[in-house]
């Protein structure tokens, strides 16, 4: 079975800029000690039963999850209730987790794929919340005090915004009774602050090279802001993205991989967040093929905006999205995740049936409309993580470029965009 | 044919062999309207030879480039347009291909697999090979050469297994070998290994066994058997002295790898190694994790595992070193814990590890494609798909003394590879 408690106020969008990483640190500390148990006692209790206990946060929600055999339902619920209601953030654990976070931030500086995504989000969102990593930066994490964490927890966690998801082999009435008992003592009010999540305005392409002089390959990202998850065009956007770069047989992957051999794989994604998260194309390409890859990807974005999707391609894409749904429900975590989305995005219980029909009804005209409305190949932010010496001459013809050393990607201040105007 | 009752999920397993030697395993399960089709060929990188590495994996890529009746990118197209998922993977001992489809599309999956088993060669050509060589070289760059610590496991195996031993080289192969692969070799490889009597086909899902078997007979029955395959063997590995190396890499945090040769997957000692590994590092309350990561904060993380290899395995401990900590210090602490493995672990640690493996086992049975893959595995290596149901017995039988024997005889300094990956400069 899997039990998950979601706190809708605990997501990273609530981080103050100067305290980026606060939401994920707070969530990460929930299972590091309570009024009744130390971190090790909590771990020993769940691991003795063969289970796990984890906690964390994404942009829109914080979660505590436990998994174990269904016969341990009561233990699991008690454990979740204890960390949800009695977490007390022991000072030694706060300090330890901050040290661990700092080491993680350092480790990430050597991961080209992470560097590329972080640098791209900095370019798109600047100093707005989505420009910061959920983990924060070296400087913001160092500035977070235990009081910040206690305050964040008090303001953003409570029964009013919490949702319990339980998936497993147990009796529903028994679950309801046990959950009611386990969480009976939880009280308090919370709030979700309204946050401005708008990205930086940008009208031209912005190209950045993150220099890793000896890199064997180049990590490439292209993107710009996308729509919020709950926008009215969601179904059409799902189909659009799948056809463009979401599945193996998408245009971008077949172009870069099967036609040109530039890469092992390329894909695109439209983030699903309450705010306007990124549209991002990701790939790792041979360094001598970076400019050609950028041109091909931009070309695919242009093509889907300008040329109607004809033939069987649209039906094949819809067939994939509709047919693959049961596949996503095979495992506990898949079911938990589908149910969690209903809670986070305030969707009705019969939503997936309605979505099925909506996807089924998407036509070629809608694809063209949403492509023109949401894809902007003329003002993409572009990041290439690789050897600058080889990359700069290739990318200069495409627009003004800026070069940053890899170690500077964790800077506290996300960079402002490079000067606009044609490059000469 | 034999039918085994499944005590955990109460699902029967059926086993059949076609006239051409293809082994077929069926497990009907109508929980969801899906069918998983899983085909194992008993060939992997261990069937390669030095200088010609990466071949089994490159070949796997070629199997997605179409066959006589399936166009170049049509394999994925046909599967995805009905809502299916497909892929393949290559490992030291085997190569697998799989599709999970809506159950009413079972025959599509069988046809696709049969077409490439029976009719691949007419569709192969130089331009497809050229394209996939590039794709695989980029795969190697992405997963090995441009990845922090990417070369480490490759190096560990080069040090642990002597040159010429089939686990000495990496599954993905060396760059120059990938670049040198020829169409003639590809064809030869296909004729030797991609034959029904070197394969196991498992189906799990919402299918009626008799109808499934009839369809399998129809699609695969006429594909001719192969000419026999020499079994790959190797002497058990025992190091005469510790092998130490320091590898400078583009990383921020150092890492310590300690690797030991262990018994083959399926041997009682292999299960002892797996249980001991879980006892050592399975979760925050496990002794090595607690000591290294939680209490002393010398490491950012530590994991251990034993690879499920067919002719001798690798037991390995990997710890990522905290900033400003000497990797030697981390190695020393791991060494202290390894010395203690010469004695039986406390009973509660044994119980915790057993429960963790039991939960993981149930977790692994949830998805039809994982179950189908396990059925192919147990049939390919042990000719016994019912091991799926009995796997946990192998752990329940073990005593603390079995683990101590493994610790005493195998986890000793003279019998290990120590590789430190450290930041460049």
């Amino acid at each position: 079975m899997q039990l998950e408690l979601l706190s809708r106020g605990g997501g990273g969008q609530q981080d103050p800029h100067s305290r980026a990483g606060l939401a994920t640190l707070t969530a990460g500390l929930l299972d590091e000690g309570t009024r009744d148990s130390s971190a090790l006692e909590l771990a020993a209790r769940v691991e003795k039963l063969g289970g796990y206990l984890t906690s964390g946060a994404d942009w829109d929600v914080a979660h505590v999850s436990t998994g174990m055999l269904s016969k341990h339902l009561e233990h699991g619920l008690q454990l979740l209730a204890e960390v949800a209601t009695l977490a007390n953030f022991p000072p030694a654990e706060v300090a330890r987790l901050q040290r661990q976070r700092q080491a993680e931030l350092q480790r990430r500086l050597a991961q080209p794929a992470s560097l590329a995504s972080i640098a791209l989000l900095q370019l798109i969102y600047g100093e707005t919340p989505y420009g910061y990593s959920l983990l924060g930066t070296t400087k913001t994490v160092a500035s977070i005090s235990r009081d910040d964490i206690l305050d964040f927890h008090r303001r953003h966690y409570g029964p009013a915004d919490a949702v319990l998801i339980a998936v497993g082999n147990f009796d529903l009435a028994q679950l309801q009774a046990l959950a009611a008992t386990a969480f009976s003592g939880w009280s308090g009010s919370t709030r979700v602050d309204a946050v401005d999540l708008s990205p930086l305005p940008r009208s031209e392409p912005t190209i950045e090279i993150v220099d890793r002089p000896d890199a064997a390959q180049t990590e490439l990202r292209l993107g710009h802001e996308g729509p919020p998850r709950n926008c009215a065009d969601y179904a059409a956007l799902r189909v659009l993205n799948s056809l463009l770069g979401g599945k193996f047989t998408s245009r971008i992957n077949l172009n870069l991989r099967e036609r040109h051999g530039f890469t092992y794989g390329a894909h695109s994604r439209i983030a699903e967040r309450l705010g306007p998260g990124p549209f991002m194309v990701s790939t790792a390409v041979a360094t001598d093929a970076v400019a050609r890859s950028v041109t091909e990807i931009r070309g695919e974005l242009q093509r889907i905006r300008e040329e109607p999707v004809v033939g069987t391609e649209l039906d094949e894409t819809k067939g994939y999205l509709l047919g693959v749904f049961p596949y996503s429900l095979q495992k506990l975590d898949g079911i938990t995740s589908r149910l969690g989305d209903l809670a986070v995005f305030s969707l009705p219980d019969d939503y997936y049936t309605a979505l099925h029909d909506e996807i089924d009804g998407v036509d070629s005209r809608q694809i063209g409309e949403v492509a023109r409305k949401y894809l902007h190949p003329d003002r993409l932010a572009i990041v290439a993580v690789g050897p600058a010496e080889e990359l700069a001459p290739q990318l200069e013809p495409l627009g003004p470029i800026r070069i940053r050393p890899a170690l500077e990607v964790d800077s506290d201040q996300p960079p402002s965009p490079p000067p606009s105007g044609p490059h000469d | 044919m034999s039918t085994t009752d499944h005590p955990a999920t109460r699902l029967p397993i059926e086993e059949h062999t076609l006239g051409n030697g293809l082994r077929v395993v069926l497990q009907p399960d109508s929980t969801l309207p899906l069918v998983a089709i899983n085909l194992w060929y008993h060939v992997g990188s261990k069937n390669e030879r030095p200088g010609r590495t990466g071949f089994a994996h490159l070949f796997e890529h070629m199997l997605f480039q179409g066959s006589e009746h399936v166009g170049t990118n049509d394999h994925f197209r046909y599967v995805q347009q009905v809502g299916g998922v497909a892929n393949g993977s290559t490992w030291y001992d085997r190569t697998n291909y799989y599709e999970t489809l809506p159950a009413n599309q079972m025959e599509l999956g069988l046809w696709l697999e049969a077409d490439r088993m029976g009719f691949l060669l007419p569709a192969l050509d130089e331009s497809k090979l050229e394209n996939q060589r590039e794709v695989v070289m980029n795969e190697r760059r992405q997963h090995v050469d441009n990845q922090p610590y990417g070369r480490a496991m490759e190096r560990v195996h080069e040090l642990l297994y002597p040159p010429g031993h089939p686990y000495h080289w990496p599954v993905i192969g060396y760059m120059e070998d990938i670049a040198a692969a020829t169409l003639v070799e590809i064809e030869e490889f296909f004729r030797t290994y991609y034959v029904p009597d070197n394969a196991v086909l498992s189906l799990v899902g919402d299918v009626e066994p008799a109808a499934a078997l009839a369809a399998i007979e129809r699609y695969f029955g006429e594909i001719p058997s192969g000419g026999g395959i020499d079994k790959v063997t190797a002497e058990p590995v025992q190091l005469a002295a510790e092998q130490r190396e320091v590898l400078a890499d583009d990383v921020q945090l150092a890492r310590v790898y300690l690797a030991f040769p262990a018994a083959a997957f399926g041997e009682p000692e292999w299960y002892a190694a797996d249980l001991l590994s879980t006892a050592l590092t399975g979760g925050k309350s496990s002794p090595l994790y607690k000591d290294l990561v939680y209490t002393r904060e010398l490491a950012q993380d530590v994991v251990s595992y034993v690879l499920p290899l067919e002719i001798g395995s690798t037991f390995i401990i990997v710890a990522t070193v905290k900033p400003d900590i000497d990797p030697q210090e981390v190695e020393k602490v791991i060494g202290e814990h390894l010395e203690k493995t010469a004695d039986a672990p406390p009973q509660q640690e044994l119980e915790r590890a057993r429960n963790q493996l039991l939960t993981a086992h149930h977790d692994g049975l949830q998805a039809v494609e994982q179950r189908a893959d396990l059925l192919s595995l147990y049939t390919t290596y042990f000719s016994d798909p019912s091991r799926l149901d009995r796997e946990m017995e192998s752990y329940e039988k073990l005593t603390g003394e079995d683990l101590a024997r493994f610790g005493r005889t195998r986890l000793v300094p003279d019998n290990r590879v120590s590789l430190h990956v450290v930041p460049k400069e």
Side-chain angles (χ1 to χ4, degrees), chain A residues 154-226:
Chain A
R154 189 167 35 76
R155 295 201 308 161
H156 295 299
Y157 284 79
D161 284 315
V163 177
L164 175 67
I165 296 171
V167 182
N169 182 13
F170 41 64
D171 175 67
L172 188 60
Q174 188 199 11
L175 167 73
Q176 284 168 329
L178 289 172
T181 309
F183 288 93
S184 62
W186 199 15
S187 63
S189 63
T190 56
R191 69 166 202 248
V192 183
D193 299 327
V195 183
D196 181 10
L197 296 164
S198 318
L200 287 179
R202 196 184 48 256
S203 56
E204 297 182 342
T206 304
I207 305 175
E208 180 171 287
I209 295 169
V210 174
D211 190 18
R212 292 181 78 236
D214 299 325
Q217 195 182 36
T218 294
E219 282 285 345
L220 184 62
R221 301 287 181 278
L222 301 89
H224 50 62
E225 83 290 351

Side-chain angles (χ1 to χ4, degrees), chain B residues 100-285:
Chain B
T100 305
L101 296 158
N104 64 357
Q105 298 293 332
M106 174 188 75
E107 293 207 22
L108 169 68
L110 294 176
W111 170 67
L112 286 168
E113 289 301 352
D115 204 60
R116 56 188 180 179
M117 184 189 284
F119 309 93
L120 181 79
L121 293 182
L124 284 183
D125 67 40
E126 194 59 56
S127 69
K128 288 180 184 177
L129 177 60
E130 175 60 31
N131 168 258
Q132 289 303 309
R133 269 197 302 251
E134 293 297 323
V135 169
V136 171
M137 285 194 277
N138 275 311
E139 180 179 359
R140 187 187 153 93
R141 290 182 192 114
Q142 187 176 340
H143 292 157
V144 180
D145 301 317
N146 200 37
Q147 197 53 236
Y149 320 105
R151 273 271 293 146
M153 273 312 291
E154 189 167 302
R155 196 61 201 133
V156 163
H157 267 212
E158 287 166 355
L159 293 166
L160 191 63
Y161 297 100
H165 188 287
Y167 297 150
H168 180 78
W169 54 88
V171 172
I172 197 161
Y174 299 112
M175 204 61 114
E176 60 274 22
D177 295 351
I178 300 168
T182 67
L183 203 57
V184 174
E185 290 172 296
I186 292 275
E187 289 169 356
E188 180 61 30
F189 195 84
F190 177 77
R191 285 197 193 91
T192 308
Y193 296 110
Y194 278 68
V195 289
D197 44 328
N198 193 41
V200 171
L201 174 65
S202 299
L203 263 66
V204 176
D206 193 8
V207 294
E208 204 278 301
L213 186 63
I216 290 166
E217 181 66 51
R218 197 157 66 245
Y219 287 103
F220 290 87
E222 288 174 25
I223 301 172
S225 312
I229 294 162
D230 294 334
K231 209 173 161 66
V232 178
T233 56
E235 289 298 308
V237 173
Q238 178 88 25
L239 300 182
E242 184 183 31
Q243 305 286 308
R244 300 191 66 86
E245 192 166 292
V246 176
L247 182 69
D249 192 8
D250 195 351
V251 297
Q252 285 286 319
L253 307 186
R255 249 191 200 172
V256 172
Y257 292 74
L258 291 180
F260 305 81
F265 178 49
E267 302 283 333
E269 186 194 291
W270 188 90
Y271 294 99
D274 195 28
L275 188 59
L276 180 63
S277 164
T278 310
L280 272 177
T281 63
K284 205 192 279 177
S285 67

Side-chain angles (χ1 to χ4, degrees), chain A residues 49 90 99 119 131 139 152 194 223 228 236 246 278 290 341 344 360 369 388 393 399 419:
Chain A
L49 302 175
R99 289 189 293 270
K139 201 168 154 191
F152 189 89
V290 169
D341 283 352
V344 172
D360 201 23
E369 278 171 14

Side-chain angles (χ1 to χ4, degrees), chain A residues 11-69:
Chain A
Q13 56 147 292
Q14 298 286 315
D15 278 352
H17 286 183
S18 60
R19 299 286 185 273
L22 177 58
T24 52
L25 258 185
T26 306
L29 278 158
L30 291 173
D31 65 352
E32 298 291 347
T34 67
R35 198 191 66 196
D36 298 343
S37 319
S38 71
L40 284 179
E41 284 164 357
L42 287 170
R45 261 163 62 197
V46 65
E47 287 167 8
K48 189 175 73 180
L49 302 175
Y52 66 83
L53 174 65
T54 62
S55 61
D58 64 23
W59 286 104
D60 298 315
V61 71
H63 69 89
V64 190
S65 309
T66 183
M68 50 185 76
L69 299 182

Side-chain angles (χ1 to χ4, degrees), chain A residues 194-278:
Chain A
V195 183
D196 181 10
L197 296 164
S198 318
L200 287 179
R202 196 184 48 256
S203 56
E204 297 182 342
T206 304
I207 305 175
E208 180 171 287
I209 295 169
V210 174
D211 190 18
R212 292 181 78 236
D214 299 325
Q217 195 182 36
T218 294
E219 282 285 345
L220 184 62
R221 301 287 181 278
L222 301 89
H224 50 62
E225 83 290 351
R229 160 66 180 79
N230 281 348
C231 94
D233 296 316
Y234 177 75
L237 283 163
R238 278 281 296 274
V239 180
L240 169 73
N241 185 65
S242 181
L243 188 152
L244 178 68
K247 58 186 171 122
F248 186 87
T249 50
S250 72
R251 290 180 175 189
I252 290 175
N253 191 55
L254 291 185
N255 181 332
L256 263 64
R257 174 181 155 127
E258 300 296 311
R259 194 176 319 147
H260 288 106
F262 292 159
T263 179
Y264 176 56
H267 66 273
S268 68
R269 202 164 82 85
I270 302 173
E272 301 195 354
R273 301 183 190 169
L274 287 169

